[in-house]
Amino acid sequence: MSSADQQEPSTLTLAQNARRSLVSDDKAYGYFALSALEEAGAVALDRLPYCLRVLLENVLRHTGRNDVDDGDVRRLAGWSPSSSDIIPVSFHPARVLMQDYTGIPTLVDLAAMRDAMVALGRDPQMVNPQIPVDLVIDHSLIVDEAGHAGAMNFNLAVEFRRNAERYQLAKWAQSAFERIRVVPPGKGILHQVNIEHIATLVCSDPEPGNETLLYPDTMVGTDSHSTMVNGIGVLGWGVGGIEAEAAMLGLPLVVPLGRIIGVRLTGELTEGVTATDIVLTMTQRLRAFGVVDTFVEFFGPSAQNLTVADRVTLANMSPEYGSTCAFFPIDRATIDYLELTGRTPEQIRRVEAYARAQRLWSEPDAPESLYSAVIDFDLGEVTPSAAGPRRPQDWVALADIPQNFQTQMKVEPAPAHDGISDGAIALAAITSCTNTSNPAVMIGAGLLARKAVARGLSVKPWVKTSLTPGSRVVGGYLEASGLQADLDRLGFQVAGYGCATCGGNSGPLADWVEEEIVAKNAVAVAVLSGNRNFEARIHPLAKANYLMSPPLVVAYALAGSVKIDLTTQPIGHGCDGKPVFLRDIWPSTQEIMAVLAEVVTPALFRTYYADLFAGDATWNGLEAPRGQRFPWNMASTYIRRPPYFDDLSGATSNPPAIAQARALLILGDSITTDHISPVGDIAADSPAGRLLASHQVARRDFNAYGSRRANHEVMVRGTFANIRLRNEMVPGIEGGMTRHVPSGDVLPIFDAAMRYAADGQPLLVIAGKEYGSGSSRDWAAKGARLLGVRAVLAESFERIHRSNLIAMGVLPLQFPAGTTRLTLELDGSELIELVGFENWTIPGETLQARITRADGTLTAVTMQGRLDTANELKVWRAGGILPFVLRRLAGQAPNIDEAAHVA
């Protein structure tokens, strides 16, 4: 018997006392039982939110690693719904999920980190993922062509031509690093592929000399909509690529846990209401309530009755309402979904056995968990709706869209014209995993198309239509049902399998349409089944953008204008000359469910996912480099070694002083990461466009900013380059411009930043509420840092971007209540000194911002440092997470000679 076995239970850690066994399919498994904590008097599980149970298991299982101890377990177990305390949770995700726009730059950072290890004389092999990583290439699809049968093959061929270098790097990484898998282009959208196939719900790790260990499938993803997996009982959320790198390399992500909000679902949907209507209504309600930085969990009688397809739609838009997660626990509906999506019977039985044993299984009659607050949401009150024209939380009833457009876009009241004018729909896209993961709304769109074709309706000629599902399964069941043929007749042929329009890659409009919009200065509109509609995201010429269900996207493509009230006015006239109304072609729930039951089958999922990681001939023909270090090509305009590790000698005790700082920009409310780091087209006359042209890159090959994220020279020039950005330092000017002080010159933001850098002047960004909302893209923080921004002063921050700023060594500072850039009358002429951070020792301390105005007067403002955990303070002091991680790895690694000797 070992000495550990001889110890008294009182001397064992909570984790050592918690090891238990269960049996599934006659096989014994080990697990760390939460019930052991209950037996020890540490927690009462029955009233604990399910998402907290998953976190608690994670901390319990990692006791003894990365400084996690019994105190961390007890602190988390003692969470109270009535407490306002923030509990720092050391979260070790089981895996990382990446899309290519954020994932490929992450691989570039890892490659550069290996070079830095060599420069320090250390073994580069220490830079290796310690947990599984899946990279799904889904964001580079651009809808260059649409509306015809050959569009998908054309778009995929162009995608490969544009992105060959990036894809070669992904293939290199797959062979050079451990535990990385790559899903090639054309297979679907990462979140839909995740819920339909990759997610296991329960992980199983063989342990030599012991039982195979079971534990909850948890994850972080380099995309804000990673929360979609919450809908199948997997806890996870979006992070920036730099945080994902830390997780890959075995470090915990320290999550500040405060409030957990319960959403009690009651009532039943009325006929004609879709899951899209639910999530748009929910987004407006939760954003108004205020759930930023909270955990959200759904419960109640109607939560049990929601299909998993509806649940994942709700979970997907968690970043739009601002929460860290949007969790549904595992229950019978989850098991039904696993069966539908073709998981193996053994896996399904193991999931149920573990969830029941671990008290992660939700039963209809289970006691309600205790939450910090409860929001009651009656599904019976949801009505057909959309969101827009600029933000996903701006809910609007279907009947009110014409008035909403007129009011929000400030256009003259006028009826819809048969042609391009204000309100004309330029783009109608069925897109995004948010909705294409839901067979009910996709089949609904197909049935609406069938009925419209039968009545003789057609899409207006100025509308660019496209269909880009998030999974090849969707294409399979639309074909099997015959509904794809009806969608084809209206121009909704499949243009590819990827994010496309939802991610800003809508492609060009017809030349004549673009010319008319510009000539008439028309306020053109995009309608899409996506999750984001921020300014200039969807298409530069679509000034208004409305999110809506796939059937409504088809209906508006037929109508041609958002000035038509689809609840009272005809969509058009049929072949018999009679008016056709939306109600005439809207499919019933019974019709939808009949088709769904016939064509959406486990066999379909098994067929399309059998070759998920296999590439086509083009992919397989890409020659990738070999070796543990990446061979940088200095002539490349896609992939450059980033500068984050160029200075390896800096001390880690304190960042340098911030004195005589200037405001680079002064911004208003709801500045999104799209405003900060655009994803779409690179304008020819922009600093980034001029750089590419100087390298002899043809205009047609500029690609999108998202595809150039592995080239910091392009991306820093694209930071704050959104064409709809409004910088209050240059009133009346839209776009990436600012005023240089003291010269007064109005310059592109990059050019001004370089002038300040030449003078050694630190820079600040000053903003309003909800700074950094939107995507998880870390380039919104990387770009700011490379421009010389040392701190951001805002009224409030969105969670992911605040974390990303810290991860890049940029200090987030929050104005006190009642104090704003407006009350301070800031105009950019001021010099600002930040005093007091030198002595910070605990999270959440304050400093003084001493503002010296042009006339010499001094104003002092107490700013709160939004370093919410001790780990965030440590990372910021180190200059960001990349140098922090590098120094840690270098301290653990053997030198190169020792590593070679061991090998």
Side-chain angles (χ1 to χ4, degrees):
M1 182 179 289
S2 70
S3 59
D5 292 333
Q6 294 172 345
Q7 294 180 46
E8 292 296 322
S10 61
T11 67
L12 299 177
T13 66
L14 290 170
Q16 288 169 323
N17 271 322
R19 183 85 184 214
R20 299 286 190 274
S21 294
L22 65 85
V23 176
S24 179
D25 284 330
D26 298 325
K27 181 176 179 181
Y29 295 92
Y31 70 104
F32 287 89
L34 294 177
S35 58
L37 298 181
E38 193 166 53
E39 293 163 8
V43 69
L45 284 176
D46 279 349
R47 307 301 299 275
L48 204 67
Y50 289 88
C51 59
L52 184 49
R53 299 182 201 187
V54 177
L55 274 183
L56 186 57
E57 187 282 340
N58 192 277
V59 175
L60 176 67
R61 180 164 36 89
H62 287 92
T63 299
R65 179 181 168 194
N66 286 322
D67 301 322
V68 178
D69 58 25
D70 277 2
D72 296 295
V73 177
R74 292 187 183 279
R75 252 188 311 276
L76 186 56
W79 175 88
S80 169
S82 60
S83 174
S84 60
D85 291 345
I86 299 294
I87 301 173
V89 181
S90 293
F91 175 58
H92 292 79
R95 58 190 174 93
V96 172
L97 182 71
M98 303 195 296
Q99 42 98 334
D100 58 300
Y101 269 14
T102 50
I104 288 176
T106 295
L107 299 179
V108 167
D109 287 350
L110 293 179
M113 194 178 291
R114 280 195 169 178
D115 289 351
M117 289 288 278
V118 171
L120 291 170
R122 296 292 189 266
D123 180 9
Q125 288 284 61
M126 284 292 291
V127 180
N128 241 323
Q130 302 300 302
I131 57 177
V133 178
D134 288 305
L135 168 63
V136 181
I137 298 178
D138 62 354
H139 269 54
S140 296
L141 171 68
I142 298 176
V143 187
D144 287 292
E145 292 202 4
H148 64 84
M152 180 172 66
N153 289 337
F154 178 89
N155 292 333
L156 188 59
V158 173
E159 178 184 344
F160 269 108
R161 179 177 62 79
R162 286 176 176 145
N163 297 284
E165 273 189 75
R166 299 171 62 241
Y167 296 169
Q168 286 168 325
L169 181 136
K171 292 185 73 173
W172 166 80
Q174 190 170 219
S175 64
F177 294 102
E178 299 171 4
R179 303 179 185 88
I180 290 181
R181 299 187 298 185
V182 178
V183 177
K187 299 296 183 76
I189 300 173
L190 78 162
H191 307 305
Q192 191 163 341
V193 170
N194 191 25
I195 62 167
E196 292 180 356
H197 185 75
I198 293 176
T200 62
L201 280 74
V202 174
C203 298
S204 59
D205 276 358
E207 293 189 331
N210 210 337
E211 299 163 328
T212 294
L213 182 68
L214 299 184
Y215 53 94
D217 179 11
T218 57
M219 55 156 280
V220 291
T222 62
D223 188 281
S224 56
H225 296 102
S226 298
T227 53
M228 187 171 192
V229 78
N230 298 170
I232 61 171
V234 175
L235 187 62
W237 49 79
V239 297
I242 35 187
E243 281 192 283
E245 291 163 33
M248 286 180 210
L249 296 172
L251 273 68
L253 301 183
V254 180
V255 181
L257 176 67
R259 295 187 303 156
I260 302 177
I261 307 298
V263 178
R264 182 189 289 117
L265 300 178
T266 59
E268 295 183 4
L269 292 179
T270 57
E271 184 66 29
V273 174
T274 68
T276 316
D277 300 316
I278 304 174
V279 73
L280 296 180
T281 308
M282 183 73 70
T283 298
Q284 188 271 337
R285 284 278 305 278
L286 296 190
R287 178 62 73 167
F289 181 87
V291 299
V292 173
D293 290 341
T294 72
F295 280 46
V296 165
E297 183 168 288
F298 294 96
F299 72 103
S302 296
Q304 297 277 343
N305 299 330
L306 274 185
T307 67
V308 168
D310 289 351
R311 295 177 186 183
V312 296
T313 297
L314 283 175
N316 177 281
M317 289 189 68
S318 167
E320 277 63 57
Y321 40 88
S323 64
T324 300
C325 67
F327 195 71
F328 285 87
I330 297 170
D331 63 3
R332 180 53 54 193
T334 317
I335 299 300
D336 293 342
Y337 183 77
L338 295 180
E339 293 172 348
L340 175 66
T341 51
R343 266 72 167 204
T344 66
E346 294 78 13
Q347 178 189 357
I348 295 169
R349 287 192 292 268
R350 189 164 58 240
V351 167
E352 181 167 351
Y354 177 79
R356 287 185 180 278
Q358 190 64 292
R359 311 268 288 275
L360 297 177
W361 181 273
S362 174
E363 291 283 8
D365 58 352
E368 284 190 1
S369 298
L370 298 177
Y371 299 101
S372 306
V374 171
I375 301 169
D376 285 298
F377 189 93
D378 184 352
L379 297 176
E381 295 178 354
V382 178
T383 59
S385 59
R390 297 185 183 92
R391 301 187 305 174
Q393 65 261 43
D394 293 334
W395 178 90
V396 55
L398 179 60
D400 296 336
I401 290 177
Q403 184 61 49
N404 171 273
F405 172 77
Q406 179 184 316
T407 303
Q408 293 295 320
M409 302 310 298
K410 298 179 172 58
V411 299
E412 294 297 323
H417 294 289
D418 190 19
I420 293 174
S421 61
D422 290 343
I425 294 168
L427 282 163
I430 300 175
T431 180
S432 175
C433 52
T434 308
N435 285 290
T436 68
S437 61
N438 193 315
V441 295
M442 296 302 292
I443 289 169
L447 288 171
L448 188 144
R450 175 170 291 175
K451 294 185 178 192
V453 170
R455 298 294 291 265
L457 298 181
S458 60
V459 169
K460 296 296 186 284
W462 56 85
V463 182
K464 179 179 181 177
T465 51
S466 63
L467 168 58
T468 52
S471 159
R472 293 177 298 164
V473 172
V474 179
Y477 67 66
L478 289 177
E479 285 289 347
S481 63
L483 294 174
Q484 186 60 59
D486 299 295
L487 288 163
D488 288 350
R489 292 186 182 95
L490 297 182
F492 285 97
Q493 288 90 348
V494 174
Y497 291 97
C499 297
T501 300
C502 184
N505 285 339
S506 57
L509 305 176
D511 288 345
W512 71 271
V513 174
E514 293 197 0
E515 289 165 4
E516 278 204 43
I517 292 172
V518 172
K520 295 179 178 179
N521 195 26
V523 181
V525 180
V527 295
L528 65 152
S529 62
N531 46 47
R532 295 256 164 87
N533 55 343
F534 301 133
E535 292 178 299
R537 176 183 175 94
I538 307 305
H539 191 280
L541 293 179
K543 294 182 179 179
N545 303 276
Y546 287 92
L547 307 178
M548 58 186 61
S549 68
L552 281 180
V553 169
V554 177
Y556 271 107
L558 296 166
S561 173
V562 292
K563 286 190 170 184
I564 295 172
D565 178 358
L566 296 188
T567 66
T568 60
Q569 295 177 276
I571 289 177
H573 290 76
C575 49
D576 58 3
K578 295 180 179 179
V580 179
F581 293 85
L582 180 62
R583 59 180 176 268
D584 299 329
I585 57 174
W586 192 268
S588 68
T589 301
Q590 185 176 1
E591 290 174 303
I592 292 170
M593 298 313 293
V595 174
L596 193 155
E598 181 182 350
V599 300
V600 183
T601 65
L604 199 65
F605 286 89
R606 283 193 288 266
T607 297
Y608 282 106
Y609 280 112
D611 64 345
L612 178 64
F613 296 98
D616 61 11
T618 308
W619 174 264
N620 294 333
L622 286 174
E623 292 188 9
R626 291 286 175 179
Q628 65 178 5
R629 294 176 64 192
F630 184 73
W632 307 100
N633 176 5
M634 297 308 294
S636 173
T637 60
Y638 273 103
I639 299 168
R640 300 292 299 275
R641 187 168 66 81
Y644 315 126
F645 306 108
D646 287 353
D647 180 10
L648 304 176
S649 60
T652 63
S653 59
N654 242 326
I658 304 176
Q660 299 291 301
R662 294 279 188 193
L664 182 61
L665 303 97
I666 300 178
L667 304 167
D669 295 339
S670 298
I671 295 299
T672 70
T673 52
D674 279 85
H675 286 115
I676 304 168
S677 183
V679 71
D681 288 346
I682 300 173
D685 60 350
S686 67
R690 292 196 295 272
L691 175 72
L692 292 173
S694 73
H695 286 275
Q696 287 73 55
V697 178
R699 176 68 186 89
R700 69 184 180 91
D701 293 325
F702 276 12
N703 212 332
Y705 277 113
S707 293
R708 297 279 180 181
R709 284 183 183 162
N711 183 342
H712 61 279
E713 297 286 1
V714 171
M715 294 307 296
V716 69
R717 287 165 172 79
T719 304
F720 295 109
N722 187 297
I723 61 172
R724 298 283 176 254
L725 184 74
R726 285 177 284 277
N727 177 7
E728 293 172 6
M729 291 175 63
V730 283
I733 297 176
E734 274 194 336
M737 304 294 286
T738 195
R739 176 166 48 88
H740 177 264
V741 180
S743 71
D745 295 342
V746 175
L747 302 169
I749 287 166
F750 173 78
D751 295 346
M754 293 305 99
R755 276 204 202 176
Y756 287 124
D759 295 335
Q761 191 148 39
L763 298 174
L764 309 173
V765 172
I766 299 171
K769 300 182 184 73
E770 298 175 0
Y771 183 77
S773 57
S775 300
S776 67
R777 65 191 64 159
D778 51 8
W779 256 109
K782 285 180 174 178
R785 179 59 188 261
L786 293 180
L787 286 174
V789 174
R790 295 287 310 284
V792 177
L793 288 64
E795 293 175 58
S796 65
F797 294 87
E798 291 290 289
R799 175 188 65 86
I800 299 176
H801 187 61
R802 184 188 64 82
S803 295
N804 284 341
L805 288 172
I806 297 166
M808 286 307 299
V810 178
L811 180 59
L813 296 170
Q814 192 158 310
F815 286 109
T819 301
T820 71
R821 72 200 187 282
L822 300 177
T823 63
L824 292 170
E825 298 182 340
L826 301 179
D827 62 13
S829 63
E830 303 83 5
L831 286 169
I832 301 176
E833 182 179 11
L834 303 180
V835 180
F837 62 75
E838 303 87 351
N839 302 315
W840 282 355
T841 59
I842 60 173
E845 293 199 67
T846 61
L847 57 70
Q848 267 204 344
R850 296 177 181 171
I851 304 167
T852 303
R853 303 181 188 275
D855 63 4
T857 58
L858 178 68
T859 302
V861 179
T862 300
M863 305 290 297
Q864 182 188 1
R866 286 301 311 276
L867 306 176
D868 294 350
T869 68
N871 188 69
E872 289 181 345
L873 178 57
K874 189 188 303 182
V875 166
W876 175 72
R877 282 196 185 283
I881 206 163
L882 295 177
F884 177 79
V885 171
L886 177 67
R887 291 183 180 109
R888 177 167 173 154
L889 288 177
Q892 298 170 347
N895 63 40
I896 294 174
D897 293 338
E898 290 170 343
H901 179 71
V902 170

